[in-house]
Structures are given as C-alpha cells and as structure tokens.
Amino acid sequence: MSSKAKGASPGGGDRINSELFTLTYGALVRHLLLDLESPEEVNKQLDKMGQNIGIRLVDDFLAKTNTGRCRNFREAAKTIAETGFRMFLGCSAKVTQIDDKECKMVLSENPLTDFVELPEKLQPLSYCSLLCGVIRGALEQISMKVECEISKDPLKGDERFELHMRLVEYVNEEYPFKDD
Amino acid sequence: MPRDSTTLTFVIVGEETPIYECEIKAGAKREETVNYLHEFVLHASLDNIDEAIWTTQSCYLKQVDRYYDLTVSAYATSSLVKFLLLHDSKNDDGIRNFFHDIHEYYIKIMLNPFHTPTTKIKSKPFDEKVKLLAQKYLL
Amino acid sequence: MAVLSARAHRTLQDLQEEVAERTGPSCLVSCSPEVDSYCQKSGLSFVHLLRPFCQLKNVNAPVRTVGDSAYRIQDLTIRVYDGRTMYQPTVAQGDDHLAHVLSSYRVEKEIEGVDAGSEESLRGYLNSKIERAREVKVPWWRKFRQEYDRLLLFGTHETLDLPVAAIIAVNSSDPDVVSKTKALVERTRQEHADVWNPNLLKHFVLVHDCQNGDMEMAKRQLEGMKLAFGKNECHMVHLNGKVPDLLNGTPPIPDLWSECIKESLPGGGAGEFKVQTSGAGGDEGSTLGSLLSDEDINSVISFLKDFVVKRLIPHLENRIRYFNHHISSTRKGMRNQFKNYWFRKEKDNSLAVNGEPAYGPQSIEFQIRHLGDLSFMMKDFELALSSYRLVSNDFKSDKAWKNYGGSMEMAGLCIVMMKGSQREAETCLDSAFSAYQRHGKDWKLTVRSLLVLSEVLVASDRPREAIGALKAAIIDNNHLRAALLLEQAAYLYILSPKPLFRKFAFHMALAGRHYSTCGNHNLSAQAYTLVLAVHSKHNWPFIDEHMHFSLGKESKQIENTPLALQCWMRLLVAIYQPANVQQQYLDEFLKLSEAVQAGNKSNMLPLLLPNVDVENVYVHFDDFRCFSAGAYAQSEQVWSRLDERVIPPAILSGQNWLQADLSSSKDYLNLCGAQEEIGVDVEFANVLQVTIKVQDVHLDCSYSATDIKGFQSSSAEDVEVKHEQFTLLPLEKTLIRLRVSVKKPGMLRINGVRWLLCGIAYGAQEFDIRGPKRKKVGEGEPHRDHPPHRRLLFEVLPTIPRIQATFSEFPENMYAGEICKCGLTIENTGAAPLHAMRIVSTNNSLIFGKFILAQEESLIDFDQQSVETVNSGGVYSLPEDFTLNPGAKMQCSVWIYTTQVGNVGMHSAFYFQPKQSHAKMKFRVLHCTQHVQVFPSIQLSGEMLLSEVSTKQLVLHTKIRNCNTQDTFFVEKLVESNGTHDLNVICARSDDSNTHRVNPKEQTAIFIEADEKGAAGKLDGSMQGLNLAGESMLGLEPCVLRSLKESLRLSTPEAQAGGMKFPLLASWHTNSRVTAREHSGVIGMNFLMKGQDKPMHMTVSYPQRIVHNFGGDAVCMVPCTISIFNASQQSIQGTLNLDNAVHNTKPSWTMPKGSGQGPNDESMESEGSDLSGCPSYCWCGKLVHKFYDVQPWETKEVAATVCIFAPGCYEVDAFRLQWSFSNANFSQNELEGTKFCLNVSDGRL
C-alpha cells in the first residue's frame, strides 16, 4: 500500500497519484476474481494479503511515527485510526464507541472505493477486506489478536464506511511466529 | 413502418453489444415494433461507423446512417466504445454537445474496476444524467 | 477501369454468357400433330426435343455483315419456341407464376438441424451459406432471374424475340408430304400473323418415326420435298430408333431435357406450353427421351448444325445488309439527319398506344431497332450499338420512353459484350431505368433494367452501387420481389471486399419479413436463421426477441418444430414484455414442447424458466460436524472455538494426521454417512410477470459404488432423491432445499437440477459452481476447488451414529444473572452406538446436570440409570464406557446462567465417537444454537477496605446499581462464595425490611463487614437487617454453584500482585413487568483489595485506662500488643522499630538503617534520652523486632512496653514498620504506626 497524493502523510512517504493507486487496487481485486472466481474466496485472499502487508507495515509505521508500542487495545485502535490511516491511506478515521474489547472506526472517505460500484452478482464480495487484514496483521505484530470486519460499507448501500474491531486476546510472543 | 412522432433512442455499444439503452422520448403511443426496428437500424449503422472511424480524427462522427427518415448520429470514444443516437430531427450541435458530455460521465463509469466494455451499465445516477442531458440538448 | 477481383471477372463472364443465351436468334417451330405424337413416345414435344442441342459450340462460321472484313462466329445459341406460345403473359399471371415457382422451391433442408440456441451451429450455417453464395448465386435467385426474363420475352417494344426463321416439321408417314407441308405452312402463317413476315426464313424438316414406316420410304419422301422446296431447305430427322431389348432393360440415357422444359403458365405464353406426358408414351414417357437412340440424337444435331450454318447465318447476313442499306439511304448523312429532325414534328401518332407512339414493322425506327437486334445476334456489337444509339434519339424525341428504354438497355448490353467501359454501360442502363420509370406503366421492365444494372455493377466490382440499384428496384409492393431483391442486396453486403455483416443481417431481416408476408415460409425461415446467426452473441434484446419470435412462427409453419421450440424457449425470458405477452409466449411454448417432448423425460430442455442460480448453491451435509436447525447460521469461528475445547486433542491429532494424507489427495470430496440426507439450497427465480407452476423438482445425481471413475446416472435403489414442487408468483424468488440420500457407501456426484414446468415441459440445468482452479486434476475430479458447502462430490461412508439434542422449555427471555432451568434430551438418531460424549457451551453459560437414561419413556422408573457428568473447565464429559445405543434417549436438566445482556446466542457442541470408529471419521460433533433475550439486571461494584478495628475483618463498600429501566430488584442474600468469611451488613439503607430494594435506574450502597470464620466472634451479636446466608449457599445445586464460582473467577482478570480477592455473590429477585413472573438470580462480583498501597496492616491493642502510683514507682510500664497483618498475596519480611518521640527529629535517624544496627542505636538512644531530662514517654524492652516471611493473611503479635514517667494523656505514635516483599528485596516500604492514646492517672491520691 502506498500513501495518497492528497492528505498530508506524517511519515512523509513518497506519494503516487491517487487514481493510479485506486485503479491498481481495483485491478488487483479483478484479477483475484478471475483467478478464484468466487467472491468468498477473494475476500479470504484479500484478507490474507492484507495481513502480510500489515505484518511488514507495522514496523515501518512505528519507525516513522515514533510512537511507543501501544500497550492496550484502546491505544492501538486510536493510533491506527488517527495516524495509521492518515499515513498510509491519506484519509482520516475516527474511533466511535470504543471499550477495551471492541471498537468501531469510521473512515471519512475511502480512497480504495472511488468509482467502484459492485455488480449485484458480486454482492458477497467485501471489496476492502484488505484493510481488515492489514489491521489484523499489524496488531498481531504488537501481540494483540484481533478480529476485524467491515461492519458498514457504502458499496453495500450503507451511508459510511465503518470497520469493526474486536479484541480476542493479548498474545505473548509465542514461537514460531507465523508469517504466511 | 409504425413509428413515434419524435424518436430519440440513445445506445452505448461496447464491441457488439449494447451496454446501455435509453428511450429518451417516445411519443404518446409506442408500438412494440418500434423497439426492434430501432435496434436494427442502430445495429446496422455500426458497419458505417466502423468505416467512419478511420476517416476522421474527432470522436464525433456526425450522421453515419439513415433508414427512411430515421437518422443515426454516432460518437466513438478512443476505446472504440460507440454512442449511437437515433433521431429524426436535425440538431447537429445539440447532439455533439450531448455526446461530449455523456463521454465525461462514461469515463467515470469506465473507471469502475468491475466495468468491462461489455458489461451493462445499470448505474442509476448515470441514467439520470443521461436523461438530464437529453432534456438539455435534444428536446 | 479499376482492377477487378476474381469474382468480378467471373460474374462478368457469366453475365456475358447469360446475355448471349438470352439474345440468340429465335426460331418459330411449327409441326404437324403426328410429329408431336412421335415425340410424345419419349415424353417430349418437338420443340423440347430440339432445345438441348440449340447451343452450338465452335460452329466456326464466317460472317460478313456491313463491315468489309469478315469475322467468324464460334458459339451461337438459337432459341426455338413453339409458335403458339410466342406472346407475353399478363403481369398478374407473371407474378403468380413467379410466386408459384419460388414457393415450390424446396429449401426445408436448408435449415435442417440448425439449433437456434447454440451459437456454433448458427455460425456454421451462416458460413456455409456465405461460401455457397461466393461461388454460385443463391439457387432460387438464379431461378427467379431466368423466369423473370422469360416472362418478359416477346415484348412489343423490342424486336429481339421476333422469330427470324420458321421450322416446319412434318411427319414422314403421310403419303403426300409436300402438299401437307404447304398446308402446314399456310396454317402457320395464318395462326401467327403477328410475328409472320414474308421474308421469314422457312426450313422444312421431315420427321421419321422408326417405329412405323421404314427408312427407305421416308428417304424417298425427303427427295420429293427437296424437289418441291429446294435442296438445302429440307432435312430429315428420325426418332424412336432405339429398340428396347427386354432381356437387360434399357441402359439409362443422360437426361438432357429436364432443365430445358420450363413450367408453363396457366395463361400460356412465354415460349412454353404444357407437355402432355400422358398418352402414347406410357411408362417409357416417364424418362425423357427414353426411345431416342444415339443415331436419332445425332440426326437432330446435324440437322440443327446444317440449319444454322447453311441457312440461318447467311440469311441473317442478308437481312442485316438489307436493313443497313435501306437505313443508311434514308437516315445517314447530313441531309437525312436534318430532314428527319424536321419531319419528326408532324409524324402521325395515329397508332399510339397509351400516349406513346407505337412503331409498325414498316416504320424506320422499327427497322433500325431490328437491325440492332440482328447485328447483336450476329455478335456485331459495334453495328448494334450504333444503331441502338441512332434509334434511341428518335424514340427520345418522340417521348417513346418504353422503346427508348429498351434500346438503351440493349445499348448497355452491347457495351458489356464488347467489354467496353463499364461507366458507359452504366449510364446507358441508368437512362434505360429512368426512361422506363417515366413510361411508368409496368414495373417489370424497370426492375429488369435495374437488375441488369446491378449485375453490371457487381461485375465491375462495385457492390455498394449494385446494392443501391437493387434497393431502387423495390418499387411496387410486390413482396416476393422485394424479398428477393433485399436478400440479394444482403448477400452483396457480405460478398463485398469488406463484409458488412450487420447490414447483411438487417436486410436479411427485411427480406424475411417480406417473404413471410407473401407466404413463402421456407425462405423466410432460412432468412431469419441467418439473421440470428449474425446476432447470436450480440444480445440486442429487442432484436433477439423479435427474431426468435418470427423464426419461431415461420419454422412452425414449415413443421420444423424442434427449431420452433428452441425459439420459443428463448422467448420465455422476454422480461421487458407486459404480462399478457409473456403469458402468450409461455402458452405457445408449452404447446410446442408438448408436441416435441411428448412427456418423455429423456430429452430435457435447458430451460431458463424458472431461472436457476446455478453458480451459487449451499450444500448442507453432516461430516464429522453436524448442525442442528439454525446452527448453520452461526459464524464459523464460534464453532471452531467450541470444537477446540470439546474435541480431545489426542483424537484430533490422530484425525489431523489421517486428514493430512486424506486431504492431500481428496480435498475436493465431502464426507457423509450412508442413509443421511444431503440438502442443497438452490434459488429459483421467476423472471416473468406471470405465475408459473414448477413441479417434480429434484436433484440430478450420479452414483458410483466404487470410485470417481465409475459414475453412472443414479438409479432409485441406491440413491433416493426427494421431489419438491412449488408455485412462483410473478418475479418471485424462492430458495428450495432439495434433498438426496444415498443408501450404500460409495461415491455421489450431484450434477444439476431437473424440473417440470407447468406440468408439460421438462427442464434441466447443470450446476456450475465458481471457485479457484485446481492445480492438478485427475479424471472425474472437479476442475475447481470449493469450500465444503459448495462441493457437489461426496464420499459416502457406512452408517455413522448421529445424535439429536433438543432443549425443552428453553426460556426465550431472562435477566442477566438469572438462573433458569430447562431440560435437554439427547437421542441417538443414527444407526450405530456411540460413546465418549463431551459437551461444551459458549462461555459456559449452560450448566449440565447429571444425565438420566430414558428406558422406553419410563423416566420415573425405579432403577433408572443415571450418568454423572464430570465438569472440568466447562467441558462436561460422560464416562468413556457409557454408550448410547441407536434410538436410545437420555435427559438431563440444564441451568442457564449468563451475565451478558441482549440477544445472547447459547451455542453448545456435543462431541461423541462411534463405537466402532471409521478410519475417515473417528468422531462427530453436533452443534446446537439456542437464543435467549437477556434483560439487564443489577450490577455490583464497590471497593474493599481493611477495617481499622481488626485485622480479621474486611469492610466491603458495595454499590448495587439497577441497570434495568423498568423493573425493581430486591437483593436478598449476600454470600462470600469461598465460604471463608461471614458477612454482616453494617448499615443498610432500608433496614426496615430484610431485603434491599433497588428501583429502576437507581443505585444503593451497603457496607458489609466480612469476618474471617473462626475469628473471635465479637460481631456475633450484630445480626441486623439482611439475614446472611449460611452454608446453604443460596439453595443452589452444587454443580451450578461450582460453575458459578468458576465463571466468577474467570470473569475478572487476574488481580495484580499483592491485591486480595474477595468474591461476593448477591442473590436477587424481581417480578418482571416484561414477563410478568418472578425471576430470581445471582450476581457475583470480585472485590479487589487495593493491593499495592496498603498490604501491611498494623493495629495496637492496649488497656484503655491505666492507674499508676507514681509515688511508689516513678516509671509506669504499660504493656501493649502490636499486631501486624499481611493483607497481600505474598509473604513479606520486615522490621518493626519502636523509638521515642523526642528523638525522631534527630538527623541520625533518617539515615537508612540495616536491621543489624537497630539495637545499639536504640540503646544509645535510651541513655541519650536520660540525658535530655524529662521525656514524656519512651519505649522500652526490645525495640527492634524482625520477622521473615509473614505469610499472606497471617498476623504477627509483638509485645511492646511503653514507659510513662508522669501521669497524663499520651499520644503514642513513634513506631514504624519497614517491610518488603520477601521475593523482591528491593523497594523498602515504610508504614507509620497510627497513633493511639494512653491515658495514665496518678494513683497516689
């Protein structure tokens, strides 16, 4: 993933044109659809890819924004929402209704889904499940096992894009670290 | 053959198949025959368009075909997606502008990763836009 | 001229040949009845007999017309007509004839076996058509063209078809041939006065029938004729020379005649008449020319050749020369030109037919035209052209448009024959066309000119213009002609160098329409088929619909029902049509399918109605995970978590290992037990606006007893499919679960679904499930890789036990913390015994009692067998050896306890193993889901303090808040669940009643003192308000209580080190407004000691009053005990320092002190105190006490003594405790003793 042209990126990563970025992601999803043919499979795949991205991304993130390791779930959620999205997606997100096991994040706007309209035969496809994967992967690296899902999706007719994060457990580093 | 008073049929054709059809203004009574007759005329005109494309630089191909008093004006995007308009009244500038603006919206549609040149355009806003433009330029 | 394509060349040549054939010199034939009767024997007339031989190749005859140089004619075709037929039929007759000809043209085979559905077949058909259209013209078009020309023969305005010679045939049998011939000539002249002219070439043929009269006789007759008419004028032809040898029949002779015999018109004319095949010919007459021997044929040929070479050509030469001379004398030269121009004005138009001058044979124009035609026949095209041009001017100035057109037409043809410039030819033909149009009487001529024009244009490789010409030829509303022309135009579109298929389609469609209107359904159908072929994949909805509709109708007309059926089938999904139209389509379709399928299921149609969602199906089946109703809906991870807990790892590892080598090869397979039902959810959608009935819906499966290779379609004895039926309202969708169950182990594959539409049409659809492609695919294996619920391939194992768990009186709503009781019945519905059951539920909200085995519905049996469950960490396991036999039931009571609020799903998993375990399925897990609505109830909160009074006592400051908005709760009992403390409410808000009332959304607080059991019970007396629970523990079942504590323990996270936990249970009851009944439950809470700040606790006990006689003894010793209590969770060590108030400001004390130097410090302190004079008090005795690892909850007592030197009231505070956790030697903490008061009075007085 790469940061977006508009929107300041605190980490100051080099930027690419947002259309290019959006279309690249679109192409990715399309290709997966061609390969895997069933939306469910694609969701899984996207999620997995996202996880791998997240695993790698988190270090970069922590390095660029010298934020200390988030101790608990609340902190993590806040950091992701306020800094993470800004930095890598160029859009801000704000955390709504958080407690120390679950939280919801609402994205101001989602650059991934510009121009996108889901055809009705692809309704089961959750287009952005990559994001969930990223978050899961990232938090997994800082030893938080979370479940993340898209609870509201404009592509499915909701009015805003909302992620739902649920903390499963705090894992202490166990060996071997899985990285698939 | 039975026809409406003023006929305006707008079609977007990707490759061979119509991906968007819009009966912009049908007369009071619309016979069932009209539909397929119009389609036949439009489809037949594709042949002329294929020739016309190579004769001009501009996307707007003017009037490409006529069948009795049904005229077909056409517009081909650079990706060779064709906009056809079947009309029976002469209104060159209007049609030119109409096509031009449609093109803008079509690009938006085309940026949807799930849109291929042959997928039907079902987007509601697009439909409304087309009708709006038709009101503006053609009627 | 542009370089022509090969095709154009060919067309040019054909064109010339055709023209040559059309325009050969025509001869009038007149013969005596006997002659015809001779020919009749071989089924012919004399004219027809001659015809095949009229095309004379390389006669190589020298010709010299007007030019000085002679030239040779190689090929010459003459036309022979029976005199009686040499006139033009009326327009109406002509049209009828054409219609008849074309409708009689057989083209059914054209669209045999074309499948309107499959694109390939359509394409194939189209291409074959195009190929054929490339090398030959469309056959029926050719036919049409010939007939069309024939019908325009003998036009009054052209002399082309005037006979130039008369052939008089007489029979040899007559004794007096000569006189007879004369008579015949005379008769002929009278009969055909209109075409007869004195200088008509006459030729005489003596026809001899070998079957009567001998040859010699005939020869003599011929001599006679020669004497009478001249040597060259007479010939003899002999017929029927063949002797039919009866031994080995007559060898078949080539059929030369059949295509020469054109059909005759009812009105006669057009050079044809009906041949009477009936008559003397008899059976021989059936094959044409059956009686003609080769000699006969040769005689005919030689006759014709002599006739043409020796007589006809010279004669024509003469005529040409004569006319030419005559004309040039009158018309050539300046003078004549001028005169001609001058006198044209007062030329009499007496014999004018309908406004245009007609020209009699004597008129000069007639002669010029005739000259033109003659020279055309003689292939002297220059002369012809010049004369045509000459005469055309006259006609033009006379406004004789018809004649003008005719002459221009011929002029054009001249140029074509000369291979002159195409342009010229076209201009000529154009003007001919316009002239005819101006004449405007009969369209036929106009059309003809246009046809010629188009042919010329095609020949000059300009198909587009040709198309224009053809289209222009559609002038009157003669549908047949219009259709033919359009069709021709269409073909030109695809034959043109850059084929235009869409135009082709459009014109074909129009042609088809015209065909059908003029009732020629064969041609119409094939035209529509071609259109479909072009349109097959472009899916323009309206076009497709219209085409299918039309083709359907046409092909029904020509009894091609399969094709019709396919068309109507496509029509079934015409969604944009109004309901009534759809209904009528449907009815039509049903009628057809009734006819075609005739009720046998073998030929299924790939029906699109109802629309089956073949890409998405959901397969319900039970492998080692079974689901009870509603459990499917739950998310996957719910079950996986439960499974983790319920499946013993030992088995799982085994399972995994087995699975490993299993899945490596057969991951596309689903497992299921024999005789167990497999359900497939399929969605059926009615796209129409009419209600349809769908019956006999069932899965189409194939079964193989052995392995994947050997699939054959399922038979009833091993696979049993359930048949469903339903009715779909307009635009309704429905999800149907189709079921199949296999009786014997083996392999099962579900192919698709079949149904019966409206009780008539049998439809079938194959499932096509999307999914990622698989790497390596063996034979019979699916090519895609699916998640289990989408796999359609099953491995059927032998019967495996399965259980059914049913909860009885499960509450639909309860309060948080309420404890509801309900019943559970577990039945082994499978066919095999099972054992080793284990049960878990999500966060242990279900608490299972002991099971009672139900012997045949006699629960309250005396010796009923009951089975204890062992609960370890929420996993309830039944003893291994206990087996549940097929059909056996067992029951137990279940308590539901949850503190979650909202709609809570209570998921439970039941694990069990079959008695004799199967390699592929060692165990099974049943998943059940119950839902209950949980209302909020009370919540406890608060904090725990150590009481100042006693180290054995804790003070719980408890807040009880009522989270419910409408119900009032009453807190009855409070219990410390460990049972180590007694509780005692210090001050209750409502001490009048013995319960605590908490109103909705309110909160109340109570202070509770908790005293360690067995501690000196000084609190016993203070039993007030709330009656505290003893050992009875709220009257709960022990098992419930245990798990309650369990959950309570699990609920709060581990307290931080040093903290102290105090679990409190509060039982409450309410009578709910919602359910209108009494609810009661228990809420637990863990009090946590604020561990870190005050783990150590020091209290001093001392005598309240001291009376001392200071007179007697100056120093009063007061004994007191300092008790140190360790409230933390760990053992501690520390030092207790006692020192004197006066010194504690000394800097030397602030320095950190190891426990070692404590005493000496103290000692020097004491004497130091002596020095300083009257101290208020001081400690004495052992001033430094050390202790090592004081256990949690342990109390150490230290005896200390205070010395008082004067009576008074002393505040004693100078003692400190330095301590640290024994395991962590850093972090010295200090605890100041709380000051206490000693009141000493002097006892001297």
Side-chain angles (χ1 to χ4, degrees), chain C residues 1137-1166:
Chain C
N1137 296 310
L1138 311 175
D1139 49 3
N1140 295 340
V1142 284
H1143 301 298
N1144 56 12
T1145 52
K1146 271 209 176 148
S1148 63
W1149 289 113
T1150 55
M1151 68 184 242
K1153 47 175 76 96
S1155 48
Q1157 67 246 71
N1160 11 358
D1161 293 344
E1162 206 286 326
S1163 58
M1164 66 174 283
E1165 279 322 304
S1166 54

Side-chain angles (χ1 to χ4, degrees), chain C residues 166-187:
Chain C
I167 298 173
I168 310 295
V170 291
N171 54 328
S172 63
S173 57
D174 198 294
D176 178 0
V177 180
V178 178
S179 57
K180 170 146 189 156
T181 314
K182 289 214 177 77
L184 185 55
V185 171
E186 196 45 44
R187 210 189 72 224

Side-chain angles (χ1 to χ4, degrees), chain B residues 16 36 39 47-48 50 65, chain C residues 502-503 513 538 540 543:
Chain B
E16 282 281 322
Y36 71 79
E39 281 196 349
D47 275 327
N48 301 33
D50 287 349
D65 196 6
Chain C
R502 305 165 182 125
K503 295 276 183 204
R513 191 186 179 122
H538 306 341
W540 289 63
I543 294 182

Side-chain angles (χ1 to χ4, degrees), chain B residues 11 13 15-18 21 32-33 35-37 39-48 50-51 65 67 82 84 120, chain C residues 464 498-506 509-510 513 531 534-535 537-547 577 585:
Chain B
V11 179
V13 180
E15 277 153 31
E16 282 281 322
T17 62
E21 285 183 279
E32 179 267 335
T33 52
N35 297 331
Y36 71 79
L37 178 66
E39 281 196 349
F40 263 123
V41 175
L42 287 163
H43 184 261
S45 73
L46 286 179
D47 275 327
N48 301 33
D50 287 349
E51 290 172 347
D65 196 6
Y67 177 76
K82 295 128 192 159
L84 309 183
K120 290 222 178 296
Chain C
R464 301 288 173 82
K498 222 150 57 31
L500 302 180
F501 280 97
R502 305 165 182 125
K503 295 276 183 204
F504 165 79
F506 186 23
L510 294 173
R513 191 186 179 122
V531 180
V534 174
H535 275 286
K537 69 177 188 309
H538 306 341
N539 48 46
W540 289 63
F542 289 114
I543 294 182
D544 289 355
E545 184 206 351
H546 177 63
M547 280 301 114
Q577 286 293 359
Y585 284 166

Side-chain angles (χ1 to χ4, degrees), chain C residues 915-985:
Chain C
K915 200 67 174 164
Q916 67 279 24
S917 79
H918 190 282
K920 283 177 182 161
M921 207 184 278
K922 292 180 109 184
F923 67 89
R924 260 189 159 172
V925 179
L926 172 69
H927 294 145
C928 295
T929 295
Q930 245 67 24
H931 280 277
V932 59
Q933 188 66 37
V934 182
F935 307 124
S937 65
I938 54 171
Q939 279 182 358
L940 298 183
S941 64
E943 62 181 346
M944 170 168 66
L945 307 166
L946 288 157
S947 90
E948 305 294 341
V949 190
S950 145
T951 62
K952 301 264 186 296
Q953 189 178 49
L954 302 167
V955 176
L956 310 178
H957 176 215
T958 317
K959 296 198 192 68
I960 306 174
R961 89 169 290 108
N962 181 351
C963 310
N964 197 311
T965 53
Q966 46 193 357
D967 291 332
T968 312
F969 287 85
F970 300 94
V971 179
E972 292 165 327
K973 303 176 179 172
L974 294 163
V975 171
E976 188 279 330
S977 65
N978 296 346
T980 58
H981 287 62
D982 294 329
L983 298 189
N984 162 23
V985 172

